[in-house]
Amino acid sequence: MGYDVSPEADRWLDEAREDFNHKQASLRNTWIRQFQRWEFNPTSGVLTLVHADGARSVATAEVLGSFSTADKTWEWAWSNPNMPKKFCQKSLAVKQIGEKFGLDYLTRGIVPVPGDGEAMGSYLCSLGLKATGAAGIFRGGDDRLPVYFLVFDP
């Protein structure tokens, strides 16, 4: 991204990427597994995965952000006027990290995503994961507009 960052910020960003890989692998193996469908209850904030055998994986969740494949932009949940505010409060922690380290792509509500949207989405999710202390990220939505959920207490 071409940013000159402080050694403290560089360390934090490196830790975020490392934590993301470990947490995502654990969440995939123990909670996500193979599922048939997912549901997010906008009243309770509960994310449920329904598995082929009828078992359910349940966790509390908040929205971190979404990626528009049409216009190649990431929108932080805290910036999205269509997002219920009570389910995007934790995404504000990313904005605070951006302010602390001078990273404008964490403080702007909508961020252009050059190149590979999946790679940039993973990178931004890793920052959200570290900033919020979530257990992992769940990708919902559809191929046109993936929505990324912070998963807590799976």
Side-chain angles (χ1 to χ4, degrees):
M1 285 181 206
Y3 283 87
D4 287 326
V5 297
S6 69
E8 179 188 14
D10 193 41
R11 215 171 14 262
W12 192 92
L13 294 168
D14 285 344
E15 289 171 4
R17 285 187 291 267
E18 289 174 21
D19 288 352
F20 179 75
N21 292 331
H22 295 295
K23 285 185 173 184
Q24 281 305 104
S26 177
L27 192 71
R28 262 191 310 277
N29 293 331
T30 62
W31 189 76
I32 294 176
R33 303 182 324 251
Q34 293 292 321
F35 65 95
Q36 290 186 318
R37 63 185 169 82
W38 65 276
E39 305 163 353
F40 179 69
N41 184 318
T43 304
S44 66
V46 172
L47 178 65
T48 304
L49 305 182
V50 180
H51 303 281
D53 63 0
R56 294 175 175 266
S57 297
V58 178
T60 57
E62 282 200 21
V63 178
L64 176 64
S66 58
F67 176 69
S68 170
T69 57
D71 62 5
K72 300 277 191 195
T73 57
W74 171 273
E75 184 169 15
W76 294 106
W78 55 261
S79 171
N80 188 332
N82 300 314
M83 200 64 59
K85 293 299 173 203
K86 69 180 184 176
F87 297 120
C88 59
Q89 290 303 301
K90 295 198 183 287
S91 71
L92 285 167
V94 179
K95 186 177 183 183
Q96 293 168 343
I97 291 293
E99 290 166 351
K100 177 180 178 179
F101 293 133
L103 302 170
D104 67 342
Y105 59 95
L106 302 182
T107 61
R108 286 186 289 165
I110 297 176
V111 182
V113 176
D116 184 359
E118 286 292 321
M120 184 64 168
S122 290
Y123 172 71
L124 295 173
C125 285
S126 74
L127 305 184
L129 195 67
K130 178 148 178 73
T132 64
I137 299 288
F138 175 77
R139 181 182 188 253
D142 57 34
D143 288 339
R144 289 184 345 260
L145 188 66
V147 177
Y148 297 86
F149 292 86
L150 296 160
V151 176
F152 299 93
D153 306 316

